[in-house]
Amino acid sequence: MSVTVIPCGVPIEWSLAARTIKDRPSKSLQWTSKKSMPEVWWRGSGTEQKMYTFKGNTVDSYTGHTASPASIYILKIKSKVQDSRVSVYLQEGDGVPGIFPEIPPDPRVHTVGVGMTSVTLSWKPSASILKLQKNSHNYHYCVLVNQKQNYKSLCTAQEDMKSEKKRAKKQKLTVWPDVSEWWRHEWDSFRKSGESTLLDNSDELQCACRGMESVCTVSELIPETLYYFDVFVVDTVNGTDSAYAGTFAQTHEEARQIATPLGEGELRWVAFQGTGRQGSQIFSFRPRGWQQSALLTLQSCTGQKVKVTVSNKEQILASEVVGEAVAQIWLQGKPVYQIFLEDMSPGQAVRGVSRPMVKMQASSAYHRQAVPALPTTLQIKSFNKLRTCNSVTLAWFGTEERSLYCMYRRKIKDGESTSRQQCLGPESRSETERVLCKYFQELNPRRAVTTATIGALEPGTAYLFDVYLMRRWGIPVKYHSKTVRTRKEC
């Protein structure tokens, strides 16, 4: 006979012993009707001989001759770690236990190909499947994939999956159970556990491949990740399975873009050709000086949002979504910074709609420990009472830092559009349009207002005025354009 014990992952101890029946049990013991006859015999007189012992978490079998004279066989199974489930199979007669699917002499699973998101496997076919008649589905392969370990049986994988589900459920919500409901649930699961050996365990698992082909391609994997692969032959009639020797493989890493160097103080215009990661741009910047600090300023020229992520090789240092407003990121303490720009526009590019464009500059000239202050508002105010036939008076907010402000003017014709990209700087303006440049500083932010009176204007004429906050360590900040018409009569 042969006895096979299959543990479900947890290490167990099991032993097989034979008790020879010598005498009938004593009548004085007064056994109740609930006791079975074998149990009565165990308690009776007779010699007990230990036949086999095993410790471990792998499938193991005892094969040998039956004891003589006739005996009761006692199988003791003990789990010292935690509650677990075990499957036990008994076969009378010689030979390999026929209840288990056959595994070929070479049980290895071979890795045929490894890609960035897929792995192809192959293995020698099982004789149980080769002997199958057409249209018979008594046996099939089940390929399991996970990131933890190789499994030696489907039962072990199944129990591990249940534990993961319970752990995830506890992390979400912990509730004290109703005692009566808990007992009913435990009793039902105890009753069903005896029937589980007649079920196909692979039905409860997500097989990456399932069928009778000895080749499998597992797809939708994560790049640069280690995966474990197990192949099982499943007997759907008897509810048993046999395991091949599992394997593991690491998917290839994603093809990384080459970072474009960004020079000190260089003004860079970045255009995007695609959406998401496909249209992303990567730059590298090396700050000057021993402090290894820099100020990164960015602005979207089209109004579409762009995500900027700054990192070094070890970690992400900053992440921000950039729009029309000037964004400032303070960098410190790293010899090299990777600047990753990603288009946040939804969907694919639409004909007639321009792709995002970003203006960017990085400078090591700014040595303070935080980003520089920006004006509380970028609006320009005109004073109607101070407006004359040949002059206008304008005011705007400054900052507590001493900075240079330059104003430009342009005559507007009737019906001419006054819209202008917010990120276009003074470099796009003609020198003849500049009317003044002045330094201004006010330590009290509430009183940081400066004014300017612009003369030599034509009566009854509309002018477009632009003010730029000039900074040698970042891109200029453009105020919102202001249109003012001089008086016709004074």
Side-chain angles (χ1 to χ4, degrees):
M1 69 171 186
S2 68
V3 176
T4 302
V5 179
I6 304 177
C8 289
V10 177
I12 62 169
E13 296 179 14
W14 67 273
S15 63
L16 182 66
R19 179 182 286 272
T20 306
I21 305 169
K22 286 188 175 181
D23 303 312
R24 290 173 177 255
S26 172
K27 292 182 180 179
S28 62
L29 293 176
Q30 296 181 355
W31 297 103
T32 64
S33 59
K34 292 183 180 179
K35 299 293 182 180
S36 64
M37 204 58 187
E39 189 175 352
V40 173
W41 287 344
W42 296 344
R43 303 286 184 179
S45 60
T47 59
E48 185 171 307
Q49 177 189 358
K50 187 166 285 189
M51 302 169 64
Y52 187 76
T53 58
F54 177 81
K55 295 180 181 180
N57 63 346
T58 58
V59 180
D60 193 65
S61 298
Y62 162 78
T63 304
H65 293 288
T66 55
S68 180
S71 302
I72 293 294
Y73 296 96
I74 305 168
L75 178 65
K76 295 181 180 179
I77 308 174
K78 183 187 293 184
S79 174
K80 289 190 172 181
V81 181
Q82 63 187 45
D83 292 349
S84 184
R85 186 160 61 93
V86 229
S87 300
V88 181
Y89 298 93
L90 167 68
Q91 176 174 300
E92 295 184 62
D94 296 331
V96 180
I99 198 171
F100 295 99
E102 295 182 51
I103 293 293
D106 181 7
R108 293 177 298 171
V109 178
H110 302 279
T111 305
V112 178
V114 179
M116 198 166 61
T117 59
S118 64
V119 174
T120 302
L121 310 167
S122 72
W123 56 91
K124 295 287 179 63
S126 165
S128 301
I129 290 182
L130 292 175
K131 294 174 187 175
L132 277 180
Q133 298 178 355
K134 290 185 177 180
N135 302 322
S136 178
H137 302 285
N138 292 352
Y139 297 95
H140 67 262
Y141 297 111
C142 175
V143 180
L144 295 184
V145 186
N146 73 93
Q147 297 181 33
K148 290 172 59 180
Q149 61 180 343
N150 287 115
Y151 295 111
K152 297 173 182 177
S153 67
L154 269 179
C155 175
T156 306
Q158 198 174 25
E159 289 298 305
D160 197 39
M161 183 186 70
K162 287 180 181 178
S163 300
E164 287 292 330
K165 284 185 178 179
K166 286 181 181 179
R167 199 175 295 115
K169 198 176 279 187
K170 283 182 180 179
Q171 288 176 354
K172 288 182 181 178
L173 182 65
T174 303
V175 185
W176 289 107
D178 179 75
V179 176
S180 59
E181 286 295 321
W182 174 85
W183 173 251
R184 191 179 298 114
H185 171 74
E186 290 297 318
W187 174 247
D188 288 342
S189 16
F190 171 74
R191 290 172 59 193
K192 290 178 182 176
S193 64
E195 307 167 6
S196 62
T197 55
L198 301 177
L199 299 175
D200 178 6
N201 290 336
S202 65
D203 287 338
E204 300 181 22
L205 296 167
Q206 293 182 347
C207 302
C209 292
R210 185 190 183 98
M212 291 184 285
E213 297 291 332
S214 58
V215 177
C216 171
T217 298
V218 185
S219 55
E220 297 183 6
L221 303 177
I222 302 171
E224 206 174 350
T225 305
L226 181 65
Y227 287 94
Y228 295 88
F229 303 92
D230 293 294
V231 178
F232 301 94
V233 192
V234 182
D235 182 345
T236 56
V237 176
N238 296 308
T240 58
D241 59 85
S242 297
Y244 281 74
T247 186
F248 58 89
Q250 181 159 345
T251 51
H252 294 165
E253 64 178 357
E254 289 183 290
R256 297 181 180 176
Q257 291 178 268
I258 300 175
T260 304
L262 183 63
E264 169 67 35
E266 175 190 0
L267 185 63
R268 179 68 66 97
W269 296 80
V270 183
F272 294 84
Q273 302 300 325
T275 58
R277 298 186 71 88
Q278 294 180 350
S280 60
Q281 303 274 354
I282 301 178
F283 298 87
S284 63
F285 177 72
R286 292 180 177 272
R288 295 178 181 174
W290 62 271
Q291 290 183 332
Q292 298 179 337
S293 60
L295 178 68
L296 175 67
T297 53
L298 309 97
Q299 187 177 20
S300 174
C301 299
T302 55
Q304 293 148 303
K305 293 183 178 180
V306 173
K307 184 179 180 180
V308 55
T309 304
V310 182
S311 65
N312 63 351
K313 291 183 179 180
E314 290 81 20
Q315 61 183 354
I316 294 176
L317 305 174
S319 183
E320 191 173 332
V321 176
V322 179
E324 284 188 355
V326 174
Q328 303 182 118
I329 300 176
W330 174 245
L331 311 174
Q332 187 177 22
K334 304 297 178 184
V336 182
Y337 297 96
Q338 297 284 338
I339 304 167
F340 183 81
L341 302 178
E342 184 180 352
D343 180 11
M344 299 288 289
S345 304
Q348 299 179 349
V350 181
R351 183 176 294 180
V353 179
S354 60
R355 301 307 308 163
M357 180 174 287
V358 171
K359 185 167 68 170
M360 175 176 62
Q361 187 182 40
S363 174
S364 306
Y366 188 79
H367 297 300
R368 295 192 181 182
Q369 297 300 310
V371 295
L374 292 175
T376 54
T377 177
L378 298 179
Q379 299 291 337
I380 301 175
K381 179 178 176 58
S382 65
F383 297 94
N384 188 48
K385 292 183 178 180
L386 301 178
R387 183 167 55 98
T388 66
C389 293
N390 56 11
S391 69
V392 295
T393 300
L394 305 174
W396 62 91
F397 273 92
T399 68
E400 59 267 29
E401 299 171 354
R402 188 173 185 271
S403 303
L404 178 66
Y405 299 85
C406 291
M407 178 180 288
Y408 291 77
R409 74 175 182 193
R410 181 169 63 88
K411 189 185 299 185
I412 301 175
K413 299 178 181 178
D414 293 336
E416 183 182 350
S417 173
T418 59
S419 62
R420 193 176 184 86
Q421 283 190 348
Q422 190 68 14
C423 71
L424 288 177
E427 70 279 355
S428 64
R429 309 298 295 265
S430 170
E431 284 293 325
T432 57
E433 294 180 349
R434 187 173 62 189
V435 291
L436 66 88
C437 282
K438 58 180 286 191
Y439 283 95
F440 174 75
Q441 180 183 21
E442 173 56 58
L443 298 179
N444 187 351
R446 295 184 179 182
R447 298 175 54 188
V449 180
T450 182
T451 60
T453 300
I454 300 92
L457 306 179
E458 299 177 8
T461 305
Y463 290 91
L464 183 72
F465 293 93
D466 289 306
V467 175
Y468 297 91
L469 168 57
M470 309 297 293
R471 306 182 302 171
R472 61 188 180 93
W473 51 74
I475 59 177
V477 178
K478 179 181 178 296
Y479 287 72
H480 297 298
S481 301
K482 183 69 175 179
T483 303
V484 183
R485 185 181 293 273
T486 55
R487 298 183 185 274
K488 283 187 178 181
E489 299 177 355
C490 296

